[in-house]
Amino acid sequence: MSIYALYPTFIRPCIFALDAETAHSLTIKLGHLLSKPMLTTLFAQQVEARPLELMGLKFKNPLGLAAGMDKNGEAIDFLGALGFGHLELGTVTPRAQAGNPKPRMFRIKPARGLINRMGFNNKGLDYLVRNLLARRYQGVVGVSIGKNETTPLEQALDDYLICLSKVYNCCDYVAVNISCPNTPGLTALQEAEPMEHLISGIKAERDKLAASTRRYVPLVVKIAPDLTDTQLQALCAICLKHQIDGISCTNTTTKRDLITGMPHAGEWGGLSGEPLRTQSTKVLAAVKAQVGDKIPLIGIGGIDGPIAAREKLNAGAQLLQLYSAFVYQGPQIIQDIVENI
């Protein structure tokens, strides 16, 4: 029996005895310690290969870890050894920042959900780059990039370009996070005019970097689940116009209709996990209808097992990511999904 089969019965109760952010920090610290070569081998999880090629990258399976778990790249080798087909690190900003005041992460246990308002807390771009360069993990690694909270929206492009240029040579793809609800004003970048300015600027810089380095790094745009039909259509049109390599559907939601009355349901921030499942899949299907086969899609939100994973694939996703289910079910969820989709 795998040690990870014991997670729901023995390990999770210990973790859940701590507040959510303390448990998260402890998990990453433990993952950092277990990233030493001998320990990584000892705690690795064997997952059957389900290889696919997408965006010019070779993935050993479709399931990845969503951004937010390892913001600073401190546990890359351990997380990679658990069987994920790819890891998305970050979101990182040019300068280190503390994020929003604590408490800022809450478990919605009856719904297997999480609310967070972390606010892009991270140790900064240079710290992440050092960890990326030191990794041994050979799988696909993406980096989610964002802007510092103190950077005005009209100067947001500058922050994204700084991040893009510094991570370009040490990751496999870059995800542009314009949809996190926890950084004031950030989601305004999903409106047509600022979105056009941002994406065209990032794409132009990526093309310059590709030419100078002779290395093509795909660009992925991560969108919110709460967009209007008009916003979604405009966003898809911009991604098609600039030939963006991928769209992630979706980030967390600000809606609370499915968790009303549950403990912590009134906390502000982004809601993830099972309560996000239906809405994120709906947005995924709507994006698929707009972009067809021209842009690969990553399905995120409420993937808690093979059935939910298949829902995302049937709605148009080619890659998948999870986070909340990893918290609630532990590493064995990776094997359960990959080997049953």
Side-chain angles (χ1 to χ4, degrees):
M1 177 187 291
S2 165
I3 185 175
Y4 298 120
L6 303 175
Y7 181 89
T9 305
F10 297 103
I11 301 174
R12 186 177 64 196
C14 297
I15 293 174
F16 277 29
L18 305 170
D19 71 84
E21 185 170 353
T22 299
H24 176 268
S25 298
L26 185 62
T27 299
I28 294 302
K29 288 178 181 177
L30 182 60
H32 176 70
L33 292 173
L34 295 179
S35 288
K36 293 179 173 59
M38 186 178 297
L39 294 175
T40 299
T41 302
L42 184 62
F43 286 93
Q45 181 173 225
Q46 298 304 312
V47 176
E48 289 182 19
R50 297 284 191 274
L52 74 159
E53 188 167 343
L54 205 66
M55 304 188 297
L57 302 173
K58 294 181 179 179
F59 298 81
K60 62 182 180 181
N61 67 63
L63 183 64
L65 179 66
M69 173 61 73
D70 191 2
K71 293 174 179 284
N72 300 298
E74 294 171 316
I76 299 174
D77 293 325
F78 171 68
L79 292 169
L82 296 178
F84 285 111
H86 68 283
L87 306 174
E88 189 168 303
L89 310 176
T91 296
V92 68
T93 55
R95 303 179 305 281
Q97 61 181 29
N100 292 319
K102 299 178 182 181
R104 54 192 181 179
M105 182 184 288
F106 309 89
R107 302 183 188 97
I108 315 300
K109 292 181 183 178
R112 289 196 172 190
L114 295 171
I115 290 175
N116 92 82
R117 51 172 180 262
M118 305 299 286
F120 286 175
N121 61 307
N122 71 101
K123 296 179 180 179
L125 192 53
D126 292 339
Y127 183 85
L128 173 60
V129 167
R130 287 195 297 271
N131 288 332
L132 283 167
L133 292 172
R135 76 184 187 272
R136 293 180 303 278
Y137 173 61
Q138 297 296 307
V140 172
V141 174
V143 175
S144 174
I145 61 174
K147 81 170 193 71
N148 280 111
E149 183 177 353
T150 55
T151 301
L153 277 182
E154 56 270 21
Q155 296 173 22
L157 176 59
D158 296 340
D159 278 13
Y160 285 95
L161 295 184
I162 291 169
C163 290
L164 176 64
S165 64
K166 285 204 172 185
V167 304
Y168 192 84
N169 285 319
C170 52
C171 70
D172 299 298
Y173 74 87
V174 173
V176 181
N177 189 345
I178 53 173
S179 51
C180 177
N182 306 321
T183 294
L186 186 75
T187 54
L189 294 174
Q190 294 175 113
E191 298 293 341
E193 187 174 342
M195 174 77 170
E196 168 66 30
H197 174 69
L198 186 75
I199 295 303
S200 63
I202 294 174
K203 174 72 182 316
E205 181 64 18
R206 193 284 306 274
D207 290 347
K208 289 180 185 177
L209 289 166
S212 64
T213 63
R214 297 185 179 181
R215 181 174 184 265
Y216 186 89
V217 175
L219 287 177
V220 173
V221 173
K222 189 170 186 176
I223 66 173
D226 305 325
L227 299 172
T228 65
D229 291 343
T230 300
Q231 289 173 320
L232 194 61
Q233 289 169 8
L235 190 150
C236 289
I238 291 168
C239 288
L240 285 166
K241 174 184 175 182
H242 294 289
Q243 298 180 308
I244 293 303
D245 301 287
I247 301 176
S248 291
C249 308
T250 65
N251 214 315
T252 57
T253 180
T254 58
K255 294 180 179 179
R256 298 290 187 267
D257 50 313
L258 293 180
I259 61 168
T260 301
M262 295 181 186
H264 303 302
E267 298 289 349
W268 74 270
L271 172 64
S272 62
E274 198 166 337
L276 178 59
R277 175 175 168 178
T278 300
Q279 181 62 19
S280 63
T281 305
K282 179 181 176 182
V283 171
L284 171 66
V287 171
K288 180 66 175 178
Q290 293 287 324
V291 305
D293 295 328
K294 295 177 181 177
I295 302 178
L297 305 181
I298 303 174
I300 317 169
I303 299 176
D304 61 352
I307 292 175
R310 289 184 184 184
E311 285 179 0
K312 291 286 193 288
L313 295 172
N314 290 339
Q318 289 161 282
L319 293 174
L320 307 168
Q321 290 181 358
L322 55 75
Y323 178 158
S324 299
F326 184 70
V327 172
Y328 278 92
Q329 300 185 52
Q332 191 165 350
I333 187 68
I334 305 163
Q335 189 178 61
D336 290 345
I337 291 175
V338 171
E339 297 182 4
N340 290 287
I341 55 174

